[in-house]
Amino acid sequence: MNRVMIIDDEIWVSEVIKNIICWEDYGFCIEDVCHDGVEAMELIRKKRPQLVLTDIRMPGKTGLQIIQEISMELPDTLCVVISGYNDFEYAKTALTYGAIGYLLKPIDGQELKQIMIKAGGILEAIRRPHAVETQVYEEYEQTIDRLREQFFKNCFEGSQDRKRTLWELNQELKLNFKAGCYRLVSISAAGKVGPKQLFTDISKQLWGKQIPILCHEIVPFLYRSRIILVLNYREEKSEAVLSGIQSLSADVMQKEGGITFLVGDEFGDIFKIQKAYRNVRDMEYMRLFFGCNRLYLFDALVHYGKDTATLLQPNLEVCVRQVLKGGDEGEALKLIREAFEWLLNRAGRNPAAFAKGVYRIVETFKENMAEISENAQETCREQLENLDFADSVEQIKESFLEVMRVLLKAQANPRQQKEKNVVVKVTEYLENNYMNNIALTDIADMVHLNANYFSEIFRKEKGIAFKEYLTQLRMERAKELLKKSNYRQSEIAAMVGYNDTKHFTKIFRKYVGITAGEYRRLMVGK
């Protein structure tokens, strides 16, 4: 069995990793679990495990330092980095130190299984000296592909973490982008063939059309069930590249039905790819009006006009304010349906005009609404993304109406907003005064409300009773003090608002499931 060490300062994360898969099924067994970087490195030197899974942010010694030291001292020990989204740059650094992959939190069992298969293959290759170089190279290429894919996804979604020069981008992602022209191509399948199979077929056929020879660089990847090609080439090769894409699309569509090629406009700066992607996304609507099994060029996407307002009903904003003020959901939905039908007729068969008009109606309502909850905002974002990938105008209408229903339901009336503000004020007060003697009646007096009414709105906003919330807050603070200080239990009890240590101990055990002493021993070994 290959021996594994897990390093993470969060005990629950280590427990999840230990139990989320059956390690023996992949030829591995958990030998050690560490929560401190210095201790972990000492054990690694002593026991020499075959695989180390380490978090990036660790006390004592960071995961990056551990991986770097392993690469220098124990080159046959494989490393996998565990990271959060905010650690993406660190994860890439870890890969340059020799890590074979990374796992994002929360840990996904399927991804961990793939890592284990990958690690098992590399360890087997290490035992077969003649195969090791090929195996490691292939795994390295797969990791680079994932990093490239993540970079472009972040660009499309506007969440790219930092600015780079073209040289830095090429160095980090092993690319060969050069000054010249860039173009995006999006390929979708509505027939029997799935996107993964289509991706494999197109990757092969690109070479048959000599497109890679014409380009400095081609980056293919899957994004939201679409095959995306990022092309980079010299300006004088523009016609030849476009001709190759047209020839490729003809061959693919002759073989498979329901295929759509969307060829975006040329642009000269790879870091402006988000705008290019938005243009391609607008082109998605062309399928609704003109059908699949075709290639669409950006040049054919005629814009209705610069002012999106000309697409909408006259005085739409005034009507929206009136219907929202009236508070009648039925009347609001009636106006929304009328606005959609007006847009559909006004835009005619113009995909870009239709797309922009739909988004503009949504924004008009949002701009005239009271505060909308984050959950409602997230639901709206997800539904709006579905608009771009609908297969019919009717599907767009249904998704659009669902967005509007969510917005109408989420709109807070003045009384609800006042109640929410009261609860926010109280929770801020509790954060700073939980250690004091606090009674519900005192808090109700502070916000000038009846105690029963305050208790009701607090439960509605927070989902738990006031007393339970205060207890929860105190217990969480107690847990932190038990982990990170040497105070006695009686001192900690007083610091979180309990003058009676026995009562504190009883509440702690009820809340956590173990005594305060047991919790401290479990967390810090004291």
Side-chain angles (χ1 to χ4, degrees):
M1 283 282 181
N2 294 309
R3 293 170 288 111
V4 180
M5 178 183 289
I6 299 170
I7 312 170
D8 199 300
D9 59 336
E10 293 182 283
I11 294 175
W12 70 270
V13 174
S14 303
E15 290 299 314
V16 167
I17 296 173
K18 283 172 60 178
N19 297 304
I20 199 169
I21 66 170
C22 180
W23 292 83
E24 288 76 13
D25 290 350
Y26 300 89
F28 291 85
C29 64
I30 306 295
E31 184 174 65
D32 293 288
V33 176
C34 293
H35 307 296
D36 177 87
V38 174
E39 175 191 353
M41 198 60 223
E42 291 175 355
L43 271 175
I44 290 168
R45 291 189 179 101
K46 181 179 179 181
K47 296 192 174 182
R48 296 175 176 263
Q50 278 77 40
L51 178 65
V52 172
L53 283 78
T54 179
D55 191 12
I56 288 178
R57 301 176 186 273
M58 296 283 300
K61 192 184 289 285
T62 70
L64 292 181
Q65 291 172 316
I66 291 171
I67 292 170
Q68 191 174 25
E69 291 181 21
I70 288 174
S71 68
M72 292 187 294
E73 299 177 29
L74 303 167
D76 289 343
T77 295
L78 306 183
C79 296
V80 173
V81 64
I82 305 166
S83 76
Y85 283 102
N86 293 332
D87 294 325
F88 183 62
E89 285 299 316
Y90 294 108
K92 288 194 294 187
T93 303
L95 294 172
T96 66
Y97 290 160
I100 65 169
Y102 64 92
L103 291 166
L104 289 175
K105 295 179 182 179
I107 304 300
D108 180 86
Q110 291 302 317
E111 288 189 7
L112 181 55
K113 289 177 182 178
Q114 291 300 316
I115 290 284
M116 289 306 99
I117 293 170
K118 178 178 179 179
I122 295 175
L123 290 169
E124 181 61 26
I126 290 173
R127 297 185 182 102
R128 291 183 285 109
H130 297 295
V132 65
E133 289 186 11
T134 301
Q135 178 73 23
V136 171
Y137 177 78
E138 289 176 354
E139 300 300 336
Y140 174 75
E141 286 295 302
Q142 291 176 12
T143 300
I144 289 295
D145 286 344
R146 285 190 66 189
L147 291 174
R148 290 173 180 170
E149 183 178 327
Q150 188 64 50
F151 169 79
F152 286 111
K153 286 180 178 179
N154 288 346
C155 287
F156 292 169
E157 295 164 8
S159 58
Q160 190 48 45
D161 46 13
R162 66 181 179 84
K163 292 183 178 180
R164 299 166 170 80
T165 64
L166 186 62
W167 182 86
E168 289 172 334
L169 181 65
N170 285 334
Q171 290 295 308
E172 288 179 16
L173 301 182
K174 307 304 176 188
L175 293 168
N176 190 39
F177 284 143
K178 296 181 179 179
C181 297
Y182 296 88
R183 193 189 288 268
L184 280 184
V185 179
S186 173
I187 309 164
S188 60
K192 294 181 180 179
V193 62
K196 290 186 178 180
Q197 182 58 51
L198 184 62
F199 180 81
T200 301
D201 294 344
I202 287 176
S203 297
K204 294 176 181 177
Q205 292 182 58
L206 282 169
W207 284 99
K209 301 299 177 183
Q210 297 190 330
I211 297 173
I213 297 173
L214 296 169
C215 295
H216 296 310
E217 185 67 87
I218 297 181
V219 183
F221 57 94
L222 282 169
Y223 179 63
R224 290 183 58 84
S225 300
R226 266 54 177 169
I227 298 163
I228 303 293
L229 305 178
V230 182
L231 310 175
N232 171 227
Y233 47 85
R234 296 199 306 272
E235 187 175 356
E236 57 267 28
K237 297 289 186 181
S238 179
E239 290 187 12
V241 170
L242 182 57
S243 177
I245 293 296
Q246 290 170 325
S247 178
L248 171 67
S249 69
D251 288 356
V252 172
M253 287 185 280
Q254 186 177 16
K255 180 181 176 182
E256 302 288 351
I259 306 296
T260 303
F261 274 67
L262 305 176
V263 181
D265 58 328
E266 287 186 334
F267 56 103
D269 183 352
I270 188 61
F271 298 106
K272 294 182 179 178
I273 197 170
Q274 184 184 23
K275 181 180 178 182
Y277 172 70
R278 286 173 178 168
N279 289 335
V280 170
R281 193 177 68 179
D282 281 349
M283 295 172 68
E284 289 279 353
Y285 289 81
M286 298 182 81
R287 295 177 298 107
L288 308 180
F289 295 95
F290 307 112
C292 301
N293 228 43
R294 294 181 60 175
L295 177 144
Y296 296 101
L297 297 173
F298 179 77
D299 294 343
L301 187 66
V302 181
H303 292 275
Y304 189 83
K306 294 182 179 179
D307 187 3
T308 313
T310 60
L311 304 170
L312 306 181
Q313 275 178 296
N315 301 319
L316 177 63
E317 188 162 358
V318 174
C319 296
V320 167
R321 283 199 294 267
Q322 289 176 345
V323 79
L324 291 177
K325 186 176 180 180
D328 189 324
E329 185 175 337
E331 285 297 314
L333 286 172
K334 180 182 176 182
L335 175 62
I336 289 163
R337 290 189 179 94
E338 289 174 355
F340 184 88
E341 295 300 329
W342 173 280
L343 169 66
L344 187 58
N345 293 329
R346 184 74 169 164
R349 291 165 66 82
N350 187 313
F354 182 65
K356 290 179 180 179
V358 168
Y359 285 105
R360 186 60 200 143
I361 294 173
V362 174
E363 288 303 314
T364 300
F365 271 82
K366 288 173 69 176
E367 289 164 3
N368 288 279
M369 286 179 164
E371 184 177 346
I372 301 168
S373 72
E374 184 57 38
N375 286 340
Q377 294 274 21
E378 182 61 30
T379 302
C380 288
R381 280 192 288 269
E382 292 172 0
Q383 289 291 339
L384 286 171
E385 286 179 359
N386 291 337
L387 296 181
D388 299 333
F389 300 95
D391 291 320
S392 68
V393 173
E394 193 58 34
Q395 278 189 18
I396 284 187
K397 184 177 181 180
E398 286 304 312
S399 292
F400 167 73
L401 289 175
E402 182 57 31
V403 169
M404 302 312 298
R405 289 189 189 99
V406 170
L407 287 176
L408 292 172
K409 189 175 181 180
Q411 185 187 205
N413 62 39
R415 180 178 176 183
Q416 290 172 326
Q417 190 59 46
K418 182 179 178 181
E419 292 174 350
K420 182 176 181 179
N421 291 340
V422 164
V423 174
V424 169
K425 179 180 178 180
V426 168
T427 52
E428 289 176 353
Y429 177 83
L430 294 178
E431 287 282 343
N432 297 314
N433 296 276
Y434 62 87
M435 68 294 296
N436 298 325
N437 185 22
I438 297 174
L440 185 145
T441 52
D442 296 333
I443 298 297
D445 289 341
M446 182 182 79
V447 294
H448 310 294
L449 293 176
N450 173 274
N452 290 335
Y453 176 58
F454 167 73
S455 180
E456 180 184 333
I457 66 171
F458 190 92
R459 180 186 286 274
K460 183 173 69 174
E461 286 292 330
K462 287 296 184 180
I464 60 174
F466 173 82
K467 184 177 179 180
E468 293 174 29
Y469 181 87
L470 179 57
T471 300
Q472 184 182 83
L473 181 62
R474 286 170 165 170
M475 291 300 105
E476 289 301 320
R477 294 295 185 272
K479 286 165 64 177
E480 287 297 313
L481 289 168
L482 286 165
K483 284 193 296 184
K484 298 179 180 180
S485 74
N486 294 319
Y487 290 116
R488 295 193 300 271
Q489 289 185 34
S490 59
E491 294 173 318
I492 291 174
M495 292 168 73
V496 298
Y498 294 94
N499 295 322
D500 186 338
T501 305
K502 288 185 178 179
H503 182 57
F504 164 76
T505 303
K506 180 180 178 181
I507 296 296
F508 189 93
R509 180 163 190 157
K510 181 179 178 181
Y511 179 80
V512 181
I514 56 177
T515 67
E518 290 169 337
Y519 181 82
R520 171 172 271 172
R521 285 192 293 274
L522 179 62
M523 292 295 107
V524 297
K526 293 183 179 180

